Amino acid sequence: MTSAKSRPTARPSSGGRAVARTRTLLPGTEGAGTVKKTVLPGGLRVVTETLPTVRSVTFGIWAHVGSRDETPALGGATHYLEHLLFKGTERRSALDISAAVDAVGGEMNAFTAKEYTCYYARVLDTDLPLAVDVVCDMLTGSLIAPEDVDAERGVILEEIAMTEDDPGDCVHDLFAHTMLGDTPLGRPVLGTVDTVNALTADRVRRFYRKHYDPTRLVVAAAGNLDHAKVVRMVRRAFERAGALGEADATPRGPRTGSRAVRAGGRVEVHNRRTEQSHLILGVPGIARTDERRWAMGVLNTALGGGMSSRLFQEIREKRGLAYSVYSYTSSFADCGLFGVYAGCRPAVAQEVLALCRDELARVAQDGLTDDEISRAIGQLRGSTVLGLEDTGALMSRIGKSELCWGEQLSVDEMLARIGEVTPEQVRELARDVLGQRPSLSVIGPVKDRQAARLHDAVA
């Protein structure tokens, strides 16, 4: 990726304090805010996008840790920790944390993924100091008390049970295991009942100390804000907690690795008494740093990304075999997955699978038409812009970009990259990706004879 040229900003030191380094990453243009980045002593990065025309701000902290950083014995520790940071600090109880944001009409939440974790609060611009103080306090001063660990264990076990009760959700975890095996990327983000029950306060506390140092954190904020003021508030909050670390520490760069996706032809079937069969047919995809990701976005959109897509038209509109059918991509630092999901009546599962398989093979061999590709480019460009219409989405964009790529693209640059995708690039990528032997994951009422036919379908 390339980004707009950065302009260093001089920052004089005062009173012997270590100097923060600030750069303008993207200049403000009509319809887009100015993006600035400051690296504080200790390696903590602060990235903001200033939008003077709105009245809200979303403030978030991204941690460079996800479920792929867990050992088998620590399965679910990242997600467990996400819950525990809301349970209280030396300055605030769990009630104090939630009440502070509720009292100003804000919203606060967090999420854990396979390669990162994010904590955020969205508030009125005038309440930004409160959001900074509360979120920074959570990240730097969590008590992780044994009684809180024990109490929250039940909540997480209920969350696991809730996921298990939703086969349309659970099949995605099964597909990750089918494609990646018993590896950190192949295991569920929530962990399992056994691993969650085995986690202790001491284990979680050590995990917290290891992965939440400033070099692994990115502070991101978007909305009606002043970058310099945000930096001062963040610095004050981290210094109060003694959490800035060494002055010359270097921020952790984007994640790298060499994770290989398993060969195709694998089938995993979980026999359950459900009203629908939930299936995912898929192949290895591409890593998120692969320059072909723009073409992959177009391919995915045309194949199964909307109501005019191939899969939706063939399976739902023409034949009425499924209510939900779509394709999707999951991209990680070093590998990726491409999958086609369908939920359908068990009696037609074999037919739906055959249609999905045949459509993948047809696109791999013959490609998509110019009209399909042109329509997908327009759809992708429009959804990219519409998806950035609130400060929460903007905060996520700049935070994730800093964490995962180490640089920023403007909206115009992203639209240009999408618009530059050619039909031949999409067809070549379709041959490379969709031409691979697929694997299959299924959850539903599948008898032994049906399971054998499913295996034959990807043989």
Side-chain angles (χ1 to χ4, degrees):
M1 294 178 68
T2 59
S3 62
K5 194 171 182 179
S6 303
R7 292 180 291 280
T9 302
R11 297 293 303 276
S13 61
S14 60
R17 294 179 83 195
V19 179
R21 306 185 305 277
T22 298
R23 293 185 298 165
T24 297
L25 302 180
L26 296 172
T29 59
E30 185 176 352
T34 301
V35 177
K36 292 185 177 182
K37 171 185 173 181
T38 294
V39 180
L40 290 170
L44 181 66
R45 289 160 284 177
V46 182
V47 185
T48 69
E49 182 166 359
T50 304
L51 298 162
T53 58
V54 301
R55 283 303 313 274
S56 69
V57 177
T58 301
F59 177 84
I61 300 183
W62 294 71
H64 207 298
V65 57
S67 59
R68 77 171 299 176
D69 298 297
E70 300 163 354
T71 63
L74 287 172
T78 313
H79 175 254
Y80 209 143
L81 181 57
E82 176 215 309
H83 279 238
L84 290 170
L85 294 198
F86 285 85
K87 299 298 287 184
T89 70
E90 292 183 0
R91 297 171 56 208
R92 292 180 174 91
S93 67
L95 176 58
D96 292 336
I97 290 171
S98 57
V101 178
D102 285 349
V104 297
E107 58 182 88
M108 183 168 59
N109 212 331
F111 59 85
T112 304
K114 290 183 183 285
E115 295 189 316
Y116 46 79
T117 311
C118 178
Y119 305 79
Y120 64 92
R122 183 168 179 257
V123 295
L124 293 176
D125 50 8
T126 53
D127 296 315
L128 176 58
L130 171 70
V132 173
D133 190 43
V134 171
V135 178
C136 290
D137 186 30
M138 288 168 50
L139 266 287
T140 60
S142 178
L143 297 176
I144 312 182
E147 58 270 24
D148 291 332
V149 174
D150 291 337
E152 201 64 20
R153 193 187 315 276
V155 175
I156 295 170
L157 292 176
E158 290 296 335
E159 189 174 354
I160 292 174
M162 182 176 67
T163 301
E164 290 292 325
D165 277 345
D166 184 353
D169 189 9
C170 197
V171 72
H172 290 279
D173 281 341
L174 179 61
F175 179 62
H177 184 269
T178 302
M179 299 295 289
L180 293 156
D182 188 23
T183 65
L185 281 177
R187 293 191 286 266
V189 171
L190 300 182
T192 66
V193 171
D194 289 341
T195 61
V196 169
N197 276 327
L199 287 171
T200 64
D202 187 54
R203 280 184 169 184
V204 176
R205 202 176 292 114
R206 287 200 302 268
F207 193 82
Y208 171 54
R209 287 197 295 265
K210 177 179 179 181
H211 291 286
Y212 278 68
D213 72 85
T215 63
R216 294 170 175 260
L217 301 178
V218 170
V219 175
N224 188 15
L225 55 83
D226 177 85
H227 177 81
K229 291 181 179 178
V230 173
V231 170
R232 286 196 294 271
M233 287 187 287
V234 170
R235 182 167 188 164
R236 189 181 309 121
F238 272 75
E239 285 182 337
R240 181 194 297 124
L244 279 187
E246 298 297 327
D248 59 350
T250 302
R252 177 172 176 171
R255 188 189 297 268
T256 59
S258 57
R259 171 64 59 193
V261 180
R262 301 164 89 182
R266 295 181 178 273
V267 178
E268 287 193 74
V269 178
H270 284 188
N271 184 17
R272 287 195 196 173
R273 295 182 61 183
T274 57
E275 293 299 316
Q276 282 190 313
S277 290
H278 302 265
L279 59 91
I280 298 180
L281 182 72
V283 293
I286 62 174
R288 64 165 171 259
T289 54
D290 193 313
E291 283 300 318
R292 298 175 297 170
R293 63 189 178 278
W294 308 103
M296 176 59 86
V298 175
L299 173 61
N300 178 55
T301 300
L303 184 59
M307 294 177 65
S308 64
S309 65
R310 283 268 189 112
L311 290 167
F312 192 94
Q313 288 293 314
E314 289 295 325
I315 294 173
R316 174 168 165 167
E317 293 296 286
K318 291 183 180 180
R319 296 175 174 84
L321 295 174
Y323 174 78
S324 180
V325 55
Y326 57 85
S327 64
Y328 70 98
T329 62
S330 295
S331 295
F332 308 108
D334 46 6
C335 65
L337 304 175
F338 182 91
V340 172
Y341 165 85
C344 59
R345 289 173 288 116
V348 300
Q350 202 72 39
E351 182 180 0
V352 169
L353 174 60
L355 288 167
C356 293
R357 182 198 58 207
D358 292 347
E359 203 58 57
L360 292 182
R362 187 175 297 113
V363 174
Q365 179 175 327
D366 302 329
L368 296 160
T369 67
D370 287 356
D371 285 345
E372 286 176 308
I373 293 171
S374 177
R375 187 167 62 243
I377 288 174
Q379 181 181 343
L380 195 56
R381 283 167 55 89
S383 63
T384 296
V385 174
L386 294 177
L388 295 174
E389 289 289 297
D390 67 81
T391 59
L394 292 169
M395 182 281 293
S396 291
R397 180 176 75 90
I398 62 175
K400 186 176 178 181
S401 292
E402 174 62 32
L403 197 73
C404 296
W405 288 283
E407 52 189 348
Q408 305 284 337
L409 285 181
S410 70
V411 173
D412 287 341
E413 285 174 313
M414 290 191 293
L415 294 179
R417 296 292 183 87
I418 297 169
E420 290 167 357
V421 172
T422 66
E424 184 50 44
Q425 289 174 335
V426 177
R427 293 177 187 128
E428 182 180 354
L429 183 63
R431 287 193 295 270
D432 291 345
V433 174
L434 304 185
Q436 301 174 94
R437 186 182 180 188
S439 291
L440 175 67
S441 303
V442 180
I443 294 178
V446 181
K447 297 179 180 179
D448 291 344
R449 185 179 301 176
Q450 293 170 315
R453 291 203 300 269
L454 292 172
H455 279 80
D456 292 341
V458 298

